[in-house]
Amino acid sequence: MPPAHPRDYLSVEDYLAGERESEQRYEYVEGTVYARAGASTNHNRISGNLYALIWNHQRGKSCFPMTSDMLVKTTAKRFRYPDLMVVCDDDPSQDTYVRESPILIVEVLSGSTHRQDKTEKRAEYLALPSLLEYVLIEQDIAEVVVQRRSEAWRSTYYYPGSTVTLESIGLTVPVEAIYERVDNADMRVFWAESTINT
C-alpha cells in the first residue's frame, strides 16, 4: 500500500496528535503514514455482527471488544487499526486512543488488504505478548480462519454450518451468525440449502 502522502519522517508524537484531529484514519509505520482503505457493506456487516456477538458475551466482564477506530501499538514505531480487537481493563496504555495488549485481533479481508493482513500485520500482531488469537474473515467468500497461540499459530478453517470457538474469550458461535445479512455466493448457497432442508 503506498504512503498517503510523500513526506519527511513523522514522529510518533506528531502522528498521534494528528490522528486526534484527522477525519481520515492513517496507520503509522516507521515514520510514514498510510491511509486506511474504505470498507464495503459486507465488510461492515461482518465487523458489526462479530462486535455484537462479542459485546453481548462479554457484558460485565473485564475484557471487551473495540472497533476499528481504536489504534493498537504493535511496536514502538508502528500503530495499526484492526477491524476489531478485544482488550482488557488491565491494558497498560496511558493513551485513551491507543491500546497495547489485545488478547484477540480480527481483520476482515478485502482485495486491497488481503496480502498485508496475512503477512506484515500478522507478524506484528503475533509478536504481541498478550495476543492469544488472530482471526481472518473473508468477505467475498464465507471462510473464517483462526490462528491461536495455543496451537503455535496454526490456521484452522471454519465454514457455514459449523461453529467457531474464540478460546481467548470462551465464545462459540455459528459461522453463519458472523455472516448474517452478508451477500456473497457462498452465503446465498448456504441459505438456499438451509431452506430446502427445513
Side-chain angles (χ1 to χ4, degrees):
M1 187 185 309
H5 301 287
R7 59 168 67 191
D8 294 332
Y9 182 91
L10 182 69
S11 71
V12 169
E13 294 75 19
D14 287 344
Y15 161 71
L16 293 175
E19 284 301 279
R20 286 159 175 70
E21 306 298 328
S22 176
E23 293 183 6
Q24 169 70 49
R25 291 286 178 252
Y26 297 90
E27 295 188 332
Y28 178 90
V29 179
E30 307 287 341
T32 302
V33 295
Y34 298 84
R36 293 187 65 227
S40 69
T41 300
N42 279 350
H43 187 290
N44 275 281
R45 286 175 175 164
I46 292 168
S47 298
N49 289 341
L50 191 54
Y51 178 88
L53 291 164
I54 294 174
W55 176 262
N56 287 331
H57 181 264
Q58 294 299 114
R59 291 178 72 98
K61 300 178 182 178
S62 62
C63 300
F64 48 91
M66 306 199 86
T67 64
S68 59
D69 283 333
M70 177 61 68
L71 277 168
V72 62
K73 179 181 180 180
T74 60
T75 73
K77 293 184 179 181
R78 290 180 179 242
F79 292 79
R80 303 292 191 176
Y81 281 108
D83 289 318
L84 179 66
M85 63 178 162
V86 173
V87 298
C88 303
D89 289 335
D90 60 358
D91 191 282
S93 178
Q94 300 300 306
D95 188 327
T96 58
Y97 292 83
V98 180
R99 299 293 85 188
E100 296 181 7
S101 298
I103 62 171
L104 169 66
I105 290 178
V106 178
E107 293 285 10
V108 180
L109 301 176
S110 63
S112 62
T113 66
H114 206 278
R115 183 199 61 79
Q116 190 179 44
D117 288 340
K118 288 190 168 186
T119 56
E120 184 178 355
K121 282 189 177 183
R122 177 184 182 274
E124 292 177 35
Y125 294 155
L126 270 53
L128 292 168
S130 63
L131 194 73
L132 300 176
E133 287 176 300
Y134 183 38
V135 180
L136 295 160
I137 305 176
E138 296 279 1
Q139 60 175 309
D140 296 326
I141 61 173
E143 178 184 272
V144 177
V145 182
V146 182
Q147 300 174 348
R148 301 180 176 93
R149 181 178 296 275
S150 64
E151 298 174 354
W153 303 117
R154 176 178 58 84
S155 293
T156 304
Y157 297 82
Y158 301 89
Y159 302 95
S162 64
T163 59
V164 56
T165 297
L166 302 177
E167 294 180 354
S168 56
I169 55 174
L171 171 64
T172 299
V173 296
V175 170
E176 56 269 26
I178 298 172
Y179 284 94
E180 184 176 348
R181 299 191 69 182
V182 171
D183 182 25
N184 64 39
D186 285 354
M187 291 312 301
R188 288 194 294 271
V189 169
F190 175 79
W191 292 123
E193 291 178 347
S194 297
T195 301
I196 292 170
N197 294 330
T198 55

